[in-house]
Amino acid sequence: MLYAPTFRRTGQINPPLGTIAALTADPDAIVAIKLYQEVDRSQLHLDQLHQERVKIYDEFSTTDLMTVADTFVTDYSSYAFDYSLMGGQRQAIFLYV
């Protein structure tokens, strides 16, 4: 599962409370998080991200991660359109934040 929130210059950069818990509710789920490079990592509340099945991937592009994800979780990112065109049995989940 790939969680790729849209970059915002101001406001909340952390996932809404409960988001990571919901994404990892399935014991088989592995959650890859892709943040924009502009996100100040020191502002992240890493305690909610420190789970065995959750990892922030800075070393891969969003497109690379989309090719291996069977579920794409985002808010209003235009990456959702790219993901929908990749074909296969894929699903997208849109968060309202």
Side-chain angles (χ1 to χ4, degrees):
M1 179 179 307
L2 173 60
Y3 174 54
T6 301
F7 175 68
R8 293 174 179 82
R9 291 211 180 274
T10 60
Q12 181 73 9
I13 65 164
N14 288 288
L17 191 60
T19 301
I20 301 303
L23 296 179
T24 57
D26 178 349
D28 295 327
I30 296 172
V31 180
I33 299 176
K34 180 60 179 173
L35 301 172
Y36 282 81
Q37 293 303 320
E38 292 84 359
V39 170
D40 182 358
R41 302 310 196 256
S42 69
Q43 297 295 312
L44 290 173
H45 297 171
L46 294 177
D47 55 327
Q48 67 177 327
L49 304 177
H50 280 297
Q51 297 185 37
E52 185 177 319
R53 295 177 290 123
V54 177
K55 184 175 186 311
I56 296 174
Y57 285 92
D58 287 328
E59 61 271 24
F60 298 106
S61 71
T62 303
T63 303
D64 289 340
L65 292 169
M66 286 191 305
T67 62
V68 297
D70 58 4
T71 304
F72 181 65
V73 182
T74 191
D75 40 27
Y76 55 86
S77 172
S78 62
Y79 278 121
F81 295 103
D82 299 330
Y83 187 75
S84 71
L85 296 173
M86 291 185 167
Q89 297 293 323
R90 299 169 178 266
Q91 59 185 346
I93 298 172
F94 294 90
L95 298 176
Y96 177 75
V97 279

